[in-house]
Amino acid sequence: LMTSRQCLFFQVTGCERNKIENTCIEECDKSTSITNLKGGSFFIRKTKNNYHYIYNEINYLNTDIVTEIPNLFSGFFIDLRDLKSNTKLKMDKSDIIKLFENHLNRNHDSTQKLKQNIYPTTSTQYKKGI
């Protein structure tokens, strides 16, 4: 969802540093989760030599855009990094890529298989409008 230069662990986990400095950027390697007042969970991850990242509790998957707005996009991006979330892959990544290729070729069976093998996911932002 976001990358931040601000220390997100200070208020969440009680990190002793209240601002980011060179030592923090170079050495800090932490992760935690936080729940907002509406009950939504987010994962916070900081790796060495990087800033803080916030991820949604479940991955975003929008298969509808291929058929609802055809011929608008010249390509699509599939993020298959191993990030902590509540979304699980029930197939290996090479099979997931093949399902996406079939989905782009308008194979409706592959669309359902994507939704079954990458679960749970969200596309609320697309449906509501960003």
Side-chain angles (χ1 to χ4, degrees):
L1 294 174
M2 178 177 82
T3 301
S4 175
R5 291 174 53 173
Q6 176 183 355
C7 180
L8 302 172
F9 292 103
F10 179 68
Q11 292 180 0
V12 176
T13 65
C15 180
E16 65 273 0
R17 293 190 173 122
N18 61 0
K19 64 179 181 176
I20 294 213
E21 62 201 26
N22 286 342
T23 305
C24 177
I25 291 173
E26 294 170 5
E27 297 176 9
C28 183
D29 189 356
K30 295 181 180 180
S31 63
T32 190
S33 63
I34 187 171
T35 304
N36 67 15
L37 295 174
K38 294 181 180 179
S41 294
F42 301 93
F43 296 104
I44 302 171
R45 178 83 176 119
K46 164 72 177 76
T47 56
K48 291 181 181 182
N49 297 312
N50 290 304
Y51 291 117
H52 296 74
Y53 298 100
I54 298 179
Y55 300 101
N56 204 1
E57 67 179 328
I58 58 175
N59 295 5
Y60 182 83
L61 176 64
N62 181 2
T63 56
D64 298 335
I65 199 165
V66 174
T67 55
E68 289 181 1
I69 311 175
N71 305 317
L72 181 65
F73 300 98
S74 60
F76 292 92
F77 178 75
I78 305 168
D79 186 351
L80 293 174
R81 292 177 292 168
D82 294 321
L83 302 173
K84 182 180 179 181
S85 77
N86 292 332
T87 299
K88 304 298 177 216
L89 296 180
K90 295 181 181 176
M91 304 174 84
D92 64 42
K93 292 178 184 180
S94 60
D95 291 334
I96 294 289
I97 292 169
K98 289 175 188 170
L99 284 177
F100 272 107
E101 288 173 342
N102 291 336
H103 172 66
L104 292 174
N105 290 322
R106 308 287 199 269
N107 181 326
H108 297 290
D109 186 43
S110 64
T111 306
Q112 285 306 109
K113 286 182 181 178
L114 276 172
K115 292 178 181 179
Q116 291 169 352
N117 288 288
I118 306 173
Y119 186 81
T121 60
T122 184
S123 62
T124 303
Q125 300 93 324
Y126 175 73
K127 291 177 181 176
K128 286 176 107 177
I130 295 178

